[in-house]
Amino acid sequence: ILNVEQSPQSLHVQEGDSTNFTCSFPPSNFYALHWYRWETAKSPEALFVMTLNGDEKKKGRISATLNTKEGYSYLYIKGSQPEDSATYLCAYPYGGSQGNLIFGKGTKLSVKP
Amino acid sequence: DTGVSQNPRHKITKRGQNVTFRCDPISEHNRLYWYRQTLGQGPEFLTYFQNEAQLEKSRLLSDRFSAERPKGSFSTLEIQRTEQGDSAMYLCASSRTGYHEQYFGPGTRLTVT
């Protein structure tokens, strides 16, 4: 049974702080690792799909790294803004690169102005 | 708007009633997924379709649940004889064969009283 773990469960930071979250997953039979941002009352939004060990992807102030050998990924937010407040989910496809996603419980980020 | 749409966005029903939700995927996407998210958990896979064929069902999908995608376009998820434990956010996602990314709709929040 695949288990995707995320930490911390929640995080409260001040505007301008940089922060990071962790996602751990089973390292065997790795296909891909997805990061989503889910704001209240909106659709989960895909941030990154990471496929290669050592991958580092960036989108504005958000970046992510991947270590498939040890089974973890980090998501970094530089200079957090109130609009970054959301739940950040990571997910692992089961049974193949396009399989159904196994999600972690998410990290809920609150950024205070 | 060419994203994934779901209707209704909210549904309140009494225990024992039947409910049906609809998902309209992105038009060129042949895969369609249903997930359910309960409080404090990440989304959990329920079922998925490739075109009109339902290819996989989770054991979470009891006999009271049925999903269809009759023409390989929109999909419906019906819950018969709803129970309080069915209260959750029901998410739909779509993707294209050969691509990792799943694109999510905003979800239907079901409350069973």
Side-chain angles (χ1 to χ4, degrees), chain A residues 65-77:
Chain A
T65 60
L66 179 69
N67 182 323
T68 62
K69 294 188 190 305
E70 295 180 44
Y72 65 84
S73 176
Y74 293 135
L75 189 79
Y76 300 91
I77 302 179

Side-chain angles (χ1 to χ4, degrees), chain A residues 35-89:
Chain A
W35 280 102
Y36 284 88
R37 174 170 63 198
W38 194 3
E39 295 179 65
T40 304
K42 294 187 177 179
S43 306
E45 174 199 355
L47 289 173
F48 306 113
V49 179
M50 309 185 78
T51 55
L52 297 174
N53 185 42
D55 241 358
E56 182 167 348
K57 296 204 172 183
K58 191 173 180 182
K59 192 180 208 178
R61 294 178 292 98
I62 305 177
S63 60
T65 60
L66 179 69
N67 182 323
T68 62
K69 294 188 190 305
E70 295 180 44
Y72 65 84
S73 176
Y74 293 135
L75 189 79
Y76 300 91
I77 302 179
K78 186 177 177 183
S80 303
Q81 299 296 309
E83 58 265 30
D84 296 328
S85 298
T87 296
Y88 291 82
L89 294 161

Side-chain angles (χ1 to χ4, degrees), chain A residues 1 9 31-32 34 36 38 41-46 49 51 89 94 97-106, chain B residues 4 9 31 33 35 37 40-45 48 56 59 89 91 96-106:
Chain A
I1 295 176
Q9 191 173 345
Y31 299 108
H34 297 240
Y36 284 88
W38 194 3
K42 294 187 177 179
S43 306
E45 174 199 355
V49 179
T51 55
L89 294 161
Y94 175 73
S97 61
Q98 296 169 62
N100 50 278
L101 296 175
I102 309 293
F103 282 87
K105 293 183 181 181
Chain B
V4 178
R9 294 289 304 273
R31 290 189 170 209
Y33 305 79
Y35 294 86
Q37 191 230 8
Q41 302 295 316
E44 296 172 296
F45 169 74
Y48 99 89
E56 192 174 344
R59 57 200 163 111
M89 174 74 83
L91 289 164
R96 198 159 46 170
T97 303
Y99 291 82
H100 295 290
E101 294 89 346
Q102 293 185 23
Y103 295 83
F104 281 81

Side-chain angles (χ1 to χ4, degrees), chain B residues 6 20 54 57 102 109 111:
Chain B
Q6 292 187 245
T20 300
Q54 188 173 16
K57 290 195 286 188
Q102 293 185 23
R109 181 168 293 286
T111 303

